[in-house]
Structures are given as structure tokens and as C-alpha cells.
């Protein structure tokens, strides 16, 4: 607002200078110059008002986009930009809306994976979508690790069963030997 006041003051000084200079000259020229100055001042004020309105409107929308970008950069993916337009700022707002949707989808996928759901499929948005590609590799690697752990657990269970069977056989063999030693001892005593 301060620059606008300075411009209005400057226009007023110029208008007063022209009026004073014209007053020294011919009276008809004064009426003509006065009208021209009045139209010029009014036109200038209208243009300045429109310019000020547009500048503040643009500044508010850019400030909102900056707030959203700052919040998103700190992890707040629930941010929304609530204005639409067909100009460059509208294109910027659309891009931020798309970014918010993308980050929200990725956060949802990460929460599903953290909850143990490895059936999550993350759709890569492009061949340059490094985050989407990383999620796809992560889900595959985690699935492979779990499959490997499952296979190892099965093999361990099988080995434990074999050891148990061998232990039972050894116990029966030891019992048979003990029985036989007992019979030999009885036979020696007789």
C-alpha cells in the first residue's frame, strides 16, 4: 500500500505543477489542461487499483502454494490448495494437488507395507518415478525374504523331525542294549 500512496502523491505533485504552470498562461489552456490532468489522474488511479488488486491476489495464491510446499516438505501430506484458475498459478496449484495426491498414495502404501501387507502394488507414475520404483523393489525384496524365511522354517522343521526320529531310534536301541545287559547279568549271576 505504501508504494501506491507514493505514486498517488507523485501524480498529485505533477498535476499541481501543470496547473500552476498553466495558470500563468492562457485561461482556455488551463481548462483543457485541467481536464486532461483530471482524466489522467483518474485513469492512473484506476490502473493502479486494478494492478494492486491483481498483485495482492497473485501474492496470496503464491503464498498459499509456498505454505503447502513447506508443509509437504516437512511430511504433512494432507495439505490442500483450494483455488483454481487457468493461468500459470492455476497450473502450479494443479501440480501441487497432483503432488499431494502422489505423496498421500505413497504414504498409504507405506502404511500398508508397515502393517504387513505385501500385496500392495504401487503404480509407478513414469519411468523416472524413483520413489514408486523403490516401493516396487522393496515389496518384492520383502516378499523374497519372507519366502526364504518360510522355506528355511520348513527345512528346520523337517530337520527337527528327523532328529526327533533319530533320538527315538537311539533311545530304543539304548533300551534294547540295556535289556540285553540285564539279561547277561542275570545269566552270569545264575
Amino acid at each position: 500500500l505504501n508504494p501506491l500512496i507514493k505514486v498517488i502523491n507523485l501524480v498529485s505533485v505533477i498535476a499541481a505543477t501543470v496547473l500552476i504552470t498553466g495558470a500563468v498562461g492562457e485561461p482556455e489552456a488551463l481548462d483543457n489542461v485541467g481536464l486532461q490532468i483530471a482524466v489522467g489522474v483518474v485513469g492512473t488511479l484506476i490502473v493502479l487499483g486494478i494492478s494492486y488488486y491483481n498483485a495482492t491476489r497473485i501474492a496470496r495464491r503464491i503464498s498459499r502454494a509456498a505454505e503447502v510446499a513447506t508443509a509437504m516438505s516437512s511430511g504433512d501430506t494432507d495439505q490442500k490448495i483450494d483455488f483454481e484458475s487457468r493461468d500459470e498459478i492455476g497450473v502450479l496449484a494443479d501440480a501441487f494437488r497432483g503432488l499431494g495426491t502422489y505423496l498421500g498414495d505413497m504414504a498409504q502404501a507405506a502404511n500398508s507395507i508397515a502393517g504387513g501387507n505385501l500385496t500392495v502394488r504401487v503404480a509407478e507414475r513414469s519411468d523416472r518415478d524413483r520413489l514408486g520404483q523403490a516401493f516396487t523393489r522393496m515389496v518384492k525384496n520383502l516378499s523374497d525374504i519372507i519366502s526364504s524365511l518360510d522355506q528355511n522354517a520348513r527345512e528346520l522343521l523337517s530337520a527337527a523331525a528327523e532328529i526327533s526320529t533319530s533320538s527315538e531310534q537311539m533311545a530304543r536301541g539304548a533300551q534294547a542294549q540295556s535289556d540285553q545287559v540285564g539279561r547277561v547279568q542275570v545269566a552270569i549271576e545264575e
Side-chain angles (χ1 to χ4, degrees):
L1 190 61
N2 195 19
L4 182 62
I5 292 173
K6 287 180 182 179
V7 170
I8 292 171
N9 286 338
L10 179 64
V11 169
S12 299
V13 168
I14 292 171
T17 304
V18 169
L19 282 173
I20 291 170
T21 307
V24 175
E26 300 176 20
E28 292 172 8
L30 181 60
D31 289 340
N32 224 358
V33 170
L35 180 62
Q36 290 174 356
I37 289 174
V39 168
V41 168
V42 169
T44 302
L45 291 176
I46 290 172
V47 168
L48 286 174
I50 291 171
S51 297
Y52 179 77
Y53 169 77
N54 285 332
T56 55
R57 187 169 163 253
I58 289 169
R60 271 195 311 266
R61 296 187 302 166
I62 293 289
S63 291
R64 178 64 185 140
E67 288 171 12
V68 168
T70 301
M72 284 183 175
S73 71
S74 66
D76 184 359
T77 61
D78 295 330
Q79 292 293 309
K80 302 286 185 240
I81 291 184
D82 53 359
F83 61 84
E84 293 187 26
S85 64
R86 294 185 201 160
D87 59 5
E88 293 82 1
I89 297 172
V91 171
L92 178 65
D94 290 341
F96 273 112
R97 279 189 281 276
L99 179 62
T101 299
Y102 174 73
L103 291 176
D105 291 348
M106 289 302 180
Q108 185 176 16
N111 282 330
S112 293
I113 293 167
N117 180 3
L118 297 180
T119 62
V120 172
R121 296 292 170 237
V122 176
E124 296 171 16
R125 306 285 167 104
S126 72
D127 60 340
R128 299 185 67 180
D129 182 3
R130 293 184 349 197
L131 185 58
Q133 292 166 357
F135 265 90
T136 300
R137 282 192 315 273
M138 180 175 59
V139 168
K140 182 188 179 313
N141 290 341
L142 287 172
S143 294
D144 290 347
I145 289 169
I146 289 182
S147 293
S148 177
L149 287 172
D150 183 53
Q151 181 63 32
N152 290 343
R154 289 174 197 261
E155 290 173 6
L156 185 61
L157 187 61
S158 175
E162 287 178 20
I163 291 171
S164 176
T165 301
S166 295
S167 294
E168 287 175 10
Q169 288 174 351
M170 287 174 64
R172 280 192 297 255
Q175 182 65 40
Q177 284 179 354
S178 176
D179 289 346
Q180 198 169 21
V181 167
R183 273 183 255 149
V184 169
Q185 188 178 18
V186 169
I188 292 178
E189 288 177 0
E190 291 179 357

